[in-house]
Amino acid sequence: MKNKLKLTCFVLFLICSFQLKAQQREWSGQVWDEKLNEPLIGVSVTVQGSSAGTITDFDGKFRIRAEVNQTLNFSYVGYTPQSIQLRSSTDLSRVLMREDTKVLDEVIVVGYGVQKKVSSVGSISAAKGEELLKTGNVTSVSEALQGMMPGVVSIMNDAKPGADEADIIIRAKGSWRSSQPLVLVDGIERDMNDIDANEIESLSVLKDASATAVYGVKGANGVILVTTKRGVNQKPKISFSANFGFKEPLTRPEYADYVTSMNMWNEAATNDLQYSKLIPESKINAWQNAFATGNVGPYNPYFPNIDWWDEMVNDMGYQQQYNINISGGTDFMRYFSSIGYLNDGDIFKTQKNELFDPTFKYQRYNWRSNFDFQLTKSTVLSLNLSGRQGYRSQTGYRINDNNESDTSFGQPQFFRMLYTAPRNMFPITWEDGSYGLTPSAESSQNLRILFDKGQRLYKYYQNFIDATLNQDLSFITKGLKFNGKFGYNVATRSRDDFMRYDNGGPFGEKNFIGYSREYDYSQPLPDGGYVMVKQERWVDSEFQGEKPKANYDLILDGGFDKRLYYELAFNYDRSFGNHNVTALALMSRNEIEGLAGSSATNLKFKENDEAWVTRVTYNWKERYLMEFNGAYTGSQKFARGLRYQFFPSYSLGWRISEEPFIKEIAGESLDNLKIRYSSGIVGYDKSAEAYTYIQLYKNAGGNVSFGETEKTNYGPLYSEDKAANPNATWETAYKQNLGIDLMLFNKLTATVDMYSERREGILMTVATPAWFGIKEPDGNVGETKSRGIEMEVGWNENINKDWSYWVKVNFAINENRVIYRNDAADYPDYRKYAGKPIGVINKLQVTDYYQSLDDIFNYATANNSSTQSKLIPGDFMYLDYDADGTIDNVLDKIPVLYNNYPQNTYGTTFGFRYKSFQVNAMLYGVVNVYKDVDALMLWDLSEGNDYNYFANPDVTGRWTADNAANAVKPSLHSDFGGYSMTSGTSYSFQNASYLRLKNLELAYDLDKKLINRVGMKNVQIYANANNLFTITSFNRQLDPEGNSSALYPLVRRYNIGTRITF
Amino acid sequence: MKQYKYIIILLISLISFSSCEEYLDKSPDLGLSEEEVFSNFFTVRGYLDQCYNCVLDYTFWRANGLERAHMGQMSDEGANPYSNNMAKFTNKGQWLANKQAPDVGWGEEFVASPRGNVIPNAFYALRVANKVVQKAPLMSNLTEAQRTQLLGQAHFFRAWFYFEIIRRVGGMPLLDKAFSSDDDFDVERLTYHQSTDWIIDQLDLAISLLPDAWPSQEVGRPNKSAAYALKSMAELYAASPLMCNPIDKIENNGYDVERAKKAAQYAKECLEYIDVTAPKHKMMPGNQYKNIFYHFPNYYSDESLWYLNSVGKNRNSTPDLPIHWQNIHWSKRAGNYGQANVSVSQNLVNKFETINGYKAEPDCYRMGE
């Protein structure tokens, strides 16, 4: 048998050699990189079955002798090998080789390590640093993540420069307490938003129990891992990028014209029988005439007409961003160093003056140096030094607290003024230059004053130092490594205040001198003016202005903290034949100190935590995969004995594509097909209040007095605080995930993940009987469940050397329910939390308009007597859900179908390359989201009682007897405050679903030959835009994502820039 | 062999790094611990004395949600243009459905203060008394006199506040301990009689512990005669037909004669005790009757066996006027004080006779007739 085989071979060989001999000739050709479209140097070219071979020269060219029908093999490190069978007509002038982007060798960052993507069994989404850079130069990493990965929801709430980070929810809300994920930068808990995206190598989002269990008591809401760039052993590579951007607000207020508004006010006052509030016809006529003749304007003393948005908002704001970094290395040291600068400017027409600069802006300096020292052959010491200094400046307005978050009192009131400031009450300045004011003489209504009261300058400093020692312990046993890590973060936050006038508290009322004047429009004067009937000066007649004032370097509340982190770990990674085993044993600790959150002077209690982590993975031929993760983590918030828990997870995977029989059927076309399942337990302790296990007493002060004739006090009194719960602990999530990864033809990739989660032990106030006696304790009683599907499908194709395109579509669907939230037993079902989504919203349901007085008297009454007495035909009729004859603000509010946070999201990234020209775009959408529209845009004339008449453009569509069938909004009222039930109704709750062109980028690579001459490797010029257009049915005056008039308006950005590599 | 040495050294260094629990033992010194409060007589007394703030003080204008009205307003005896919540609840028939309703409201807004509602205050005080009953016997650094003093008051307050509750809402579960948050709250409700029996037990204990009289600076704390009197009162209530019901139904089967007899017996014991030990307490003679509450600064007389000491609590302040059936607008204060003008109704007027002894009918109002 053996001999036979040998013989056959021999014969075949003879035949072949005969043929070869017969037709051997010289072939020449050139090898090209398919994607970069440039020649490849040093590709090895061999003739199959012979020893003949060569490598390509400097221009990618080669010459080789071979016969027709022989096969040429091309191979190059990092590229997919290529084989070409020679025919007599074969043209070798363009042999294309493609970079091996096949996932096979790709690694992803997982908790405390990296894994090969093919053999990983967790549900992990990853993005590369380059992808983050292509998101329209947004200023925070959290915003850049929007739409990029399925199951990662990022919501923008504000666009104030330097305070515009987005909220991130991973997969879904699992609890009503907090959905904040854990964020780690280079393995240490840090804020990721202020990292320069140029420093980021990759970003992983860990979603299922398999991936997050290693974070134990911190991981239940998902984990984001940011990894920064490191140097490689090569010649220095310098990258420079510069970006210049413009930005403009996405939405703006709209109004009906003033004459219409006044007429509508008269209708509203008539509706309410408030005849004393009517505006005289003489005034309306005078205004009508003024508009007709164009005798109006922002500085017109008699007919002021100010469009505050135009006055205060610039057409364009500016933004600049620069980064230069260098990376490279030698045998001894590898380095990556980066310096970045960001200047995010203002969309308001604020101007620097002699005392201060009230511009909203953010200047940020980022620095980073990552070094790796190869101390010995088996020892690497890594050192990361990085940080940022940020200067956030803004107009000084009244902010009550000293917190870093200044979004509480002050800010909403300030920005909402852009919508509500009087437009026709006073000119911006009178002819003599003094300011125009409202009759009640409050200066705060003139936005020109408001934007010039002072400045606040916030200063942020963060410094991060990490050192890591990697020691190969192969001398003990092969595959064993030791790793020790030390990290130290320091952050300080302080602010300066600059005030124009030192009086009336921080940015108080006494500042500018101005006048309010009132004219009688029925008494025109010959000079075109009118008789002035009233004038008031503010501040009082003696006031001549005050000295300016400034405070420097006030520490913000909680404005200092430091964190010490260290970890020790053993890694083991070894293959025994077809058995591949890895193992990890790790111990880590965090020690956090700093100012208490509500104080600029008091330190908080030191917070410690500790984790003991292990992971074991095993696979056979990368075909059958198994992984076990476990973390024994502790939280100091709870009682002894309840501080530690072991959080295990296991996962199994099966790469069907590796089965021989599948390979046989599918052949080359199936690159990867993997099914994976994981199940495990993760915790979350951040939303738990600390130390509730200790029963505290307090000195309640006070006393009781006794004594018949002489009073004697006995005190102080002592009282017991809120009841302790010695059993309090963190919330626990039980997660399961079933995923399928598919790759076909090396072009189509698809990932589907289905998951379900049960969250138990959510810490909340426990209902206790009345006779318990003290304030009820917190207990781990809350329970929720959620489930969902995430899907991502990508297609990547190179049509020919000039054309290639890619599409990636992702979508995520999630639903959740509260199982238990301490509902009162006797509540009717519709009022219980249980069985409804987390954060359920209850609204009064608008059923119709009252069409007649009969309707008003026959229908259920409003439980608020002042509302009932004001009802007129054309007002909303609300559903009396409990049918008790009263429309009640509590009992008749019923749950609505949708939530105000996105649960269904979809994103599409697509683009193409044609030669050196490249286009990239991203669409992002959310569906089934409803949000409240500001009452201002729904209920017209809300400020009319302050003589500030303005209505929305659709005011003429209000209900009237004649217009009853086509009414778009209810009939008008003059007393908005007295007419209650204007909030919390289905009228204001509108569909805030949207589809947005999140990002569009056009890039062009300059001709390599040209730039190589001046020493550059790569020059790319690009233009991009962010939030270019939005399709939504939400109110036009508001953005569906920010949905508030009381914030720094969300912006659209246009950028041009360049990326240069030397 | 050499390799094992390395492994052992590394493992030991890792494990000996620390013991976990201690590393996280950062229990902060946030406030007082229970041990500190129950460490000496004065802090325990400060804790127990909270009970006095929970006793319903009829003479305090804000007690019981009274505010600027008076009790008569809750019936047909008076009316007040000042629309305070109290009159609204009662006159609308929502008395039992509102948490801030006077007397029976379960709202805890001002709990542990004289402004608190009666029932939440009573639950609060019961917890305090129960804690003292539980802890005081175990304290090592109390003198016997101090321990007796604390326990006597604690047992008295147990009875007092439990009685305050059951006479409003009927029998309650036995609340003889301070519940902790992981206790089983599913406890059985007792009948009014069972509840009363516990009160009698507590008062017997109180009688054995309380002093005959307090030193003059401490007058106002309950003494033996108060416990005797409360015993009789509690038993008398229990004899009422309503209180004779089991917990699941209400029917009128007449008075419980046995309990009434017992109440009489307890009253006799009380009077006998007073005669012997505290002759100062006595029924006031008829000619002093009109001055029975006319004392300053305290509204009490020799008839009072126990009273809430109001010294220094400004019971003569203008807002307290309604307590004395005076119109608060006589305070000459502005705003709500000015408009809170209580007018008695004819119903109340009809309950009295005129100065001449006639029935109060319209033509009798002429003065001097």
Side-chain angles (χ1 to χ4, degrees):
Chain A
M1 186 67 196
K2 248 182 185 173
N3 285 342
K4 232 180 196 173
L5 204 71
K6 271 187 186 167
L7 189 70
T8 320
C9 290
F10 185 61
V11 171
L12 275 171
F13 179 65
L14 278 182
I15 296 168
C16 290
S17 51
F18 173 73
Q19 280 182 327
L20 291 178
K21 268 235 147 58
Q23 297 183 25
Q24 194 163 51
R25 62 174 248 216
E26 195 182 63
W27 303 78
S28 67
Q30 198 176 8
V31 182
W32 293 76
D33 179 312
E34 190 183 86
K35 202 164 183 183
L36 299 174
N37 198 28
E38 57 187 62
L40 276 174
I41 310 157
V43 179
S44 87
V45 186
T46 53
V47 182
Q48 195 171 317
S50 88
S51 59
T54 179
I55 57 168
T56 56
D57 67 8
F58 212 71
D59 294 321
K61 290 184 178 153
F62 66 93
R63 275 165 194 283
I64 195 164
R65 289 189 71 82
E67 286 94 34
V68 176
N69 282 339
Q70 267 194 319
T71 303
L72 285 184
N73 287 335
F74 298 85
S75 66
Y76 188 54
V77 180
Y79 284 70
T80 317
Q82 179 84 287
S83 304
I84 294 174
Q85 197 174 26
L86 297 170
R87 303 255 178 274
S88 51
S89 60
T90 303
D91 175 17
L92 293 173
S93 63
R94 277 192 74 83
V95 176
L96 297 179
M97 288 193 75
R98 180 166 32 184
E99 215 171 334
D100 191 3
T101 52
K102 225 169 161 178
V103 287
L104 294 174
D105 294 318
E106 208 176 315
V107 294
I108 47 171
V109 178
V110 299
Y112 304 111
V114 291
Q115 283 183 345
K116 266 174 96 172
K117 194 165 182 183
V118 283
S119 59
S120 164
V121 281
S123 175
I124 300 164
S125 294
K128 291 206 173 68
E130 293 91 82
E131 293 174 61
L132 296 174
L133 286 174
K134 289 183 179 173
T135 52
N137 291 79
V138 296
T139 48
S140 75
V141 175
S142 54
E143 192 188 352
L145 287 179
Q146 203 171 53
M148 199 170 273
M149 302 172 218
V152 180
V153 179
S154 139
I155 306 162
M156 283 290 289
N157 292 323
D158 206 327
K160 192 160 69 165
D164 55 352
E165 64 274 5
D167 291 339
I168 292 183
I169 304 172
I170 294 177
R171 280 205 160 154
K173 287 195 178 186
S175 158
W176 55 85
R177 299 288 304 258
S178 167
S179 298
Q180 231 182 339
L182 174 71
V183 179
L184 297 116
V185 179
D186 288 333
I188 299 173
E189 271 180 68
R190 285 165 186 166
D191 179 21
M192 67 175 174
N193 281 308
D194 274 303
I195 300 178
D196 188 335
N198 288 293
E199 296 173 3
I200 296 177
E201 171 71 32
S202 73
L203 186 146
S204 289
V205 179
L206 316 182
K207 298 190 272 197
D208 71 343
S210 163
T212 55
V214 288
Y215 292 104
V217 77
K218 295 174 177 178
N221 288 342
V223 182
I224 297 176
L225 301 176
V226 178
T227 310
T228 57
K229 286 180 180 161
R230 309 203 73 81
V232 287
N233 191 350
Q234 63 175 27
K235 278 198 297 186
K237 182 178 143 190
I238 300 169
S239 302
F240 172 76
S241 68
N243 172 69
F244 190 75
F246 309 89
K247 57 182 186 177
E248 61 175 11
L250 288 175
T251 52
R252 57 171 296 155
E254 292 173 12
Y255 305 97
D257 68 84
Y258 189 51
V259 175
T260 306
S261 296
M262 286 196 288
N263 283 323
M264 288 298 130
W265 172 258
N266 279 356
E267 181 179 318
T270 313
N271 283 345
D272 290 341
L273 311 178
Q274 302 281 327
Y275 300 112
S276 61
K277 291 182 180 172
L278 290 176
I279 303 166
E281 282 299 318
S282 58
K283 182 175 173 186
I284 297 177
N285 289 336
W287 271 94
Q288 197 158 11
N289 188 41
F291 273 108
T293 55
N295 183 26
V296 293
Y299 296 95
N300 189 313
Y302 304 109
F303 301 102
N305 187 36
I306 315 169
D307 186 331
W308 283 115
W309 195 267
D310 286 346
E311 290 298 327
M312 300 317 299
V313 180
N314 257 325
D315 292 340
M316 283 290 170
Y318 302 102
Q319 175 193 346
Q320 295 166 67
Q321 213 165 349
Y322 305 96
N323 176 276
I324 185 160
N325 63 62
I326 178 165
S327 73
T330 63
D331 287 341
F332 173 67
M333 185 187 95
R334 299 181 289 279
Y335 56 88
F336 169 83
S337 285
S338 161
I339 294 173
Y341 171 71
L342 165 77
N343 186 340
D344 194 6
D346 198 3
I347 58 166
F348 291 113
K349 286 182 181 164
T350 40
Q351 270 179 2
K352 193 175 170 169
N353 59 41
E354 72 283 2
L355 294 171
F356 52 82
D357 180 8
T359 317
F360 286 86
K361 68 180 173 198
Y362 184 49
Q363 283 173 291
R364 186 182 72 195
Y365 303 86
N366 289 84
W367 61 90
R368 172 173 294 280
S369 291
N370 291 352
F371 299 106
D372 298 297
F373 299 96
Q374 193 79 42
L375 296 182
T376 71
K377 227 176 185 180
S378 62
T379 316
V380 180
L381 175 69
S382 305
L383 201 61
N384 301 351
L385 306 167
S386 66
R388 65 134 173 163
Q389 173 81 50
Y391 297 96
R392 182 165 77 74
S393 177
Q394 66 166 68
T395 299
Y397 47 76
R398 189 173 161 203
I399 302 168
N400 266 8
D401 52 35
N402 190 30
N403 279 331
E404 183 181 6
S405 132
D406 50 11
T407 52
S408 56
F409 187 83
Q411 172 154 318
Q413 287 79 354
F414 180 83
F415 286 113
R416 198 162 185 264
M417 211 79 87
L418 281 165
Y419 284 74
T420 61
R423 297 155 55 82
N424 303 89
M425 204 184 284
F426 50 78
I428 296 172
T429 54
W430 298 102
E431 282 144 334
D432 63 359
S434 62
Y435 284 98
L437 302 172
T438 56
S440 53
E442 281 173 50
S443 56
S444 57
Q445 300 271 317
N446 187 330
L447 296 191
R448 191 63 71 75
I449 297 176
L450 209 63
F451 276 84
D452 199 33
K453 280 188 173 180
Q455 178 195 3
R456 274 177 192 248
L457 178 63
Y458 292 86
K459 291 178 274 193
Y460 306 111
Y461 168 73
Q462 286 176 331
N463 195 13
F464 306 128
I465 302 167
D466 330 338
T468 311
L469 185 76
N470 279 298
Q471 173 66 47
D472 195 305
L473 299 176
S474 296
F475 59 91
I476 298 174
T477 175
K478 212 181 142 197
L480 186 67
K481 281 189 182 124
F482 168 79
N483 152 29
K485 188 174 203 161
F486 166 86
Y488 186 67
N489 297 358
V490 193
T492 59
R493 295 171 284 276
S494 63
R495 66 157 220 260
D496 296 344
D497 291 341
F498 305 93
M499 292 174 237
R500 185 169 281 284
Y501 293 122
D502 172 21
N503 202 315
F507 310 103
E509 304 310 326
K510 270 194 186 180
N511 42 37
F512 288 89
I513 297 166
Y515 293 90
S516 93
R517 290 179 180 131
E518 216 175 290
Y519 296 96
D520 184 349
Y521 290 94
S522 65
Q523 296 183 58
L525 295 172
D527 67 346
Y530 294 90
V531 171
M532 185 159 71
V533 288
K534 201 174 166 192
Q535 166 169 306
E536 268 179 45
R537 184 187 193 264
W538 177 266
V539 184
D540 55 45
S541 52
E542 280 84 47
F543 182 82
Q544 292 300 326
E546 298 248 359
K547 274 186 226 155
K549 187 186 173 186
N551 300 318
Y552 293 96
D553 292 317
L554 305 171
I555 302 283
L556 295 182
D557 286 352
F560 168 73
D561 55 71
K562 61 179 186 180
R563 174 192 293 267
L564 182 68
Y565 174 84
Y566 50 92
E567 81 179 29
L568 300 169
F570 288 98
N571 269 295
Y572 182 69
D573 183 350
R574 195 162 171 190
S575 299
F576 303 91
N578 291 326
H579 307 273
N580 306 309
V581 181
T582 74
L584 164 80
L586 177 142
M587 179 271 187
S588 75
R589 279 176 172 180
N590 274 297
E591 296 184 8
I592 305 157
E593 287 172 279
L595 289 172
S598 57
S599 171
T601 46
N602 296 337
L603 290 174
K604 65 180 173 190
F605 296 105
K606 194 177 172 193
E607 291 169 27
N608 286 359
D609 64 53
E610 186 176 87
W612 296 76
V613 181
T614 180
R615 168 166 53 224
V616 180
T617 74
Y618 166 80
N619 68 62
W620 189 74
K621 278 190 161 180
E622 295 192 337
R623 189 187 301 169
Y624 306 113
L625 318 161
M626 264 177 259
E627 183 171 322
F628 173 81
N629 287 288
Y632 184 67
T633 58
S635 170
Q636 67 173 8
K637 293 177 169 178
F638 310 109
R640 246 169 188 271
L642 290 165
R643 285 184 190 144
Y644 282 89
Q645 190 186 323
F646 187 64
F647 293 94
S649 79
Y650 69 89
S651 37
L652 303 168
W654 179 27
R655 286 186 69 206
I656 300 171
S657 56
E658 295 299 296
E659 290 290 350
F661 70 94
I662 297 286
K663 275 194 166 161
E664 218 161 90
I665 300 166
E668 285 285 296
S669 55
L670 181 67
D671 298 296
N672 185 26
L673 174 61
K674 178 168 73 177
I675 297 184
R676 54 191 159 75
Y677 170 80
S678 74
S679 172
I681 306 172
V682 203
Y684 194 71
D685 75 335
K686 277 228 172 91
S687 51
E689 205 184 310
Y691 317 123
T692 50
Y693 65 93
I694 306 170
Q695 180 64 61
L696 291 175
Y697 284 69
K698 64 169 181 254
N699 179 338
N703 50 54
V704 290
S705 3
F706 299 110
E708 190 161 11
T709 46
E710 77 242 68
K711 179 175 119 180
T712 312
N713 288 335
Y714 291 82
L717 302 180
Y718 292 89
S719 67
E720 202 176 359
D721 265 350
K722 176 178 164 173
N725 179 2
N727 299 324
T729 182
W730 43 74
E731 55 191 65
T732 313
Y734 299 85
K735 297 184 181 220
Q736 292 184 79
N737 190 87
L738 179 65
I740 300 167
D741 297 320
L742 175 73
M743 185 168 181
L744 279 175
F745 319 118
N746 207 4
K747 285 173 185 163
L748 177 79
T749 52
T751 300
V752 182
D753 273 294
M754 286 157 277
Y755 61 90
S756 77
E757 175 181 332
R758 202 156 41 88
R759 186 76 66 105
E760 288 181 2
I762 297 170
L763 208 53
M764 62 178 298
T765 306
V766 179
T768 50
W771 38 262
F772 185 63
I774 47 172
K775 225 175 145 222
E776 49 274 76
D778 285 346
N780 296 92
V781 295
E783 202 175 332
T784 66
K785 60 179 178 181
S786 75
R787 59 179 182 179
I789 300 177
E790 292 158 11
M791 197 163 168
E792 186 170 59
V793 180
W795 179 268
N796 221 324
E797 176 147 28
N798 298 320
I799 300 170
N800 56 37
K801 72 179 176 67
D802 290 338
W803 278 100
S804 63
Y805 68 93
W806 52 92
V807 183
K808 201 152 98 177
V809 179
N810 70 55
F811 74 87
I813 301 172
N814 165 268
E815 61 168 9
N816 60 43
R817 290 286 181 277
V818 173
I819 298 175
Y820 184 80
R821 198 180 162 177
N822 225 343
D823 288 309
D826 290 340
Y827 262 28
D829 275 347
Y830 77 96
R831 291 193 63 200
K832 284 184 178 168
Y833 286 115
K836 308 212 175 60
I838 296 166
V840 66
I841 290 164
N842 294 330
K843 296 282 179 193
L844 284 175
Q845 300 297 307
V846 173
T847 55
D848 199 355
Y849 299 108
Y850 291 107
Q851 299 291 353
S852 64
L853 285 172
D854 282 350
D855 279 354
I856 295 171
F857 286 100
N858 291 332
Y859 194 64
T861 54
N863 80 334
N864 182 317
S865 53
S866 68
T867 301
Q868 179 67 20
S869 63
K870 283 198 167 186
L871 289 178
I872 57 165
D875 278 334
F876 280 135
M877 199 181 239
Y878 296 110
L879 180 67
D880 179 19
Y881 183 80
D882 61 357
D884 65 349
T886 307
I887 299 160
D888 190 284
N889 240 331
V890 178
L891 296 173
D892 287 319
K893 281 191 174 166
I894 58 172
V896 292
L897 192 55
Y898 298 116
N899 265 321
N900 61 2
Y901 57 92
Q903 288 181 284
N904 300 350
T905 59
Y906 53 99
T908 309
T909 320
F910 56 95
F912 66 87
R913 181 186 62 74
Y914 174 67
K915 289 187 174 165
S916 302
F917 191 69
Q918 195 172 313
V919 174
N920 245 312
M922 186 203 277
L923 285 165
Y924 176 67
V926 303
V927 282
N928 295 348
V929 181
Y930 274 65
K931 287 184 177 173
D932 271 317
V933 176
D934 192 322
L936 206 61
M937 282 126 215
L938 301 172
W939 307 89
D940 298 295
L941 301 158
S942 57
E943 310 274 315
N945 279 322
D946 296 324
Y947 310 102
N948 181 10
Y949 313 110
F950 61 86
N952 291 287
D954 62 353
V955 66
T956 47
R958 85 280 180 214
W959 192 98
T960 60
D962 303 332
N963 187 32
N966 303 317
V968 298
K969 47 173 33 179
S971 50
L972 303 170
H973 283 280
S974 65
D975 201 346
F976 184 75
Y979 181 72
S980 71
M981 295 191 192
T982 49
S983 64
T985 75
S986 59
Y987 177 47
S988 67
F989 204 54
Q990 295 187 2
N991 191 341
S993 307
Y994 64 87
L995 172 65
R996 182 171 272 178
L997 182 57
K998 192 69 202 149
N999 162 42
L1000 176 67
E1001 176 169 298
L1002 307 144
Y1004 180 73
D1005 290 310
L1006 294 190
D1007 188 3
K1008 292 247 157 58
K1009 277 182 189 151
L1010 206 72
I1011 58 167
N1012 282 351
R1013 261 182 237 156
V1014 289
M1016 292 187 236
K1017 279 200 194 110
N1018 229 323
V1019 176
Q1020 189 179 59
I1021 298 169
Y1022 67 87
N1024 64 27
N1026 164 266
N1027 294 341
L1028 203 55
F1029 70 81
T1030 307
I1031 302 169
T1032 179
S1033 62
F1034 202 62
N1035 192 298
R1036 278 163 50 92
Q1037 301 186 46
L1038 293 174
D1039 181 75
E1041 193 178 356
N1043 95 300
S1044 173
S1045 54
L1047 48 74
Y1048 194 98
L1050 299 194
V1051 293
R1052 178 180 296 134
R1053 298 175 198 269
Y1054 306 93
N1055 300 283
I1056 49 169
T1058 178
R1059 298 170 188 134
I1060 301 167
T1061 323
F1062 298 94
Chain B
M1 202 53 226
K2 204 179 170 192
Q3 294 179 358
Y4 287 113
K5 224 193 273 174
Y6 275 111
I7 294 173
I8 290 164
I9 290 167
L10 279 164
L11 280 177
I12 288 172
S13 63
L14 202 63
I15 290 163
S16 65
F17 216 78
S18 82
S19 98
C20 310
E21 285 282 348
E22 271 165 33
Y23 181 68
L24 297 190
D25 231 350
K26 292 277 173 278
S27 314
D29 190 13
L30 286 170
L32 291 165
S33 69
E34 189 162 286
E35 289 72 45
E36 286 169 284
V37 171
F38 287 94
S39 62
N40 72 64
F41 172 72
F42 295 99
T43 48
V44 181
R45 190 177 65 183
Y47 178 65
L48 181 66
D49 280 351
Q50 290 181 92
C51 289
Y52 292 95
N53 278 339
C54 297
V55 175
L56 175 57
D57 182 355
Y58 293 102
T59 65
F60 177 42
W61 70 292
R62 308 202 90 161
N64 220 348
L66 195 68
E67 300 288 322
R68 294 174 183 84
H70 54 66
M71 280 300 183
Q73 214 176 311
M74 294 165 67
S75 66
D76 54 6
E77 294 176 349
N80 190 337
Y82 172 64
S83 103
N84 71 333
N85 291 336
M86 180 184 96
K88 249 193 279 179
F89 305 145
T90 49
N91 297 336
K92 275 184 171 176
Q94 295 172 338
W95 196 41
L96 292 171
N98 200 297
K99 63 178 184 176
Q100 288 303 343
D103 227 53
V104 294
W106 64 91
E108 295 179 337
E109 199 181 344
F110 299 108
V111 74
S113 83
R115 286 181 75 181
N117 283 323
V118 177
I119 293 173
N121 262 356
F123 284 135
Y124 183 88
L126 267 174
R127 183 185 178 86
V128 172
N130 282 331
K131 261 231 149 111
V132 174
V133 169
Q134 273 165 9
K135 297 262 176 185
L138 307 174
M139 288 171 64
S140 55
N141 54 352
L142 292 182
T143 65
E144 220 32 58
Q146 287 171 335
R147 199 187 314 277
T148 310
Q149 198 192 106
L150 290 172
L151 285 174
Q153 292 177 82
H155 284 294
F156 177 83
F157 279 127
R158 270 179 155 189
W160 175 264
F161 287 108
Y162 198 60
F163 180 55
E164 285 276 51
I165 298 163
I166 65 167
R167 67 179 169 136
R168 286 175 169 81
V169 292
M172 276 274 113
L174 195 57
L175 303 178
D176 61 348
K177 64 167 185 175
F179 285 80
S180 66
S181 49
D182 52 352
D183 273 331
D184 181 12
F185 295 128
D186 199 7
V187 287
E188 200 187 339
R189 190 174 176 184
L190 306 179
T191 65
Y192 190 90
H193 282 172
Q194 288 167 321
S195 294
T196 303
D197 292 343
W198 185 68
I199 291 177
I200 302 298
D201 290 347
Q202 294 308 309
L203 289 169
D204 284 339
L205 281 167
I207 288 168
S208 69
L209 296 166
L210 287 172
D212 295 325
W214 291 93
S216 73
Q217 310 94 313
E218 291 194 69
V219 168
R221 295 184 188 273
N223 51 24
K224 262 199 179 66
S225 50
Y228 271 116
L230 181 57
K231 203 170 145 187
S232 169
M233 187 177 176
E235 197 65 57
L236 186 63
Y237 269 64
S240 154
L242 181 63
M243 310 307 191
C244 296
N245 284 297
I247 51 172
D248 52 349
K249 61 179 170 193
I250 295 171
E251 53 194 19
N252 187 349
N253 294 322
Y255 285 87
D256 185 325
V257 179
E258 283 311 305
R259 291 213 172 242
K261 280 181 182 166
K262 261 196 198 165
Q265 173 64 28
Y266 295 154
K268 182 165 172 276
E269 284 169 21
C270 180
L271 292 171
E272 282 171 358
Y273 166 80
I274 290 169
D275 278 345
V276 176
T277 326
K280 186 189 146 202
H281 292 300
K282 56 181 186 285
M283 296 295 278
M284 300 199 40
N287 59 353
Q288 288 176 25
Y289 180 77
K290 63 178 180 180
N291 294 332
I292 189 163
F293 296 121
Y294 192 68
H295 289 258
F296 191 83
N298 280 311
Y299 306 111
Y300 77 103
S301 63
D302 290 345
E303 245 185 67
S304 309
L305 297 183
W306 180 51
Y307 60 91
L308 194 65
N309 194 302
S310 308
V311 177
K313 288 270 168 69
N314 297 323
R315 290 299 176 269
N316 54 346
S317 72
T318 45
D320 287 318
L321 284 167
I323 301 297
H324 312 292
W325 278 95
Q326 306 296 325
N327 270 326
I328 203 168
H329 80 280
W330 290 348
S331 69
K332 294 182 181 168
R333 287 170 71 168
N336 288 333
Y337 294 92
Q339 60 150 309
N341 180 352
V342 186
S343 315
V344 294
S345 67
Q346 189 66 37
N347 289 324
L348 182 62
V349 173
N350 288 349
K351 286 179 182 158
F352 294 89
E353 56 209 18
T354 64
I355 200 163
N356 304 338
Y358 294 107
K359 280 194 84 178
E361 275 162 2
D363 54 340
C364 302
Y365 290 145
R366 275 164 289 153
M367 293 294 283
E369 239 177 76

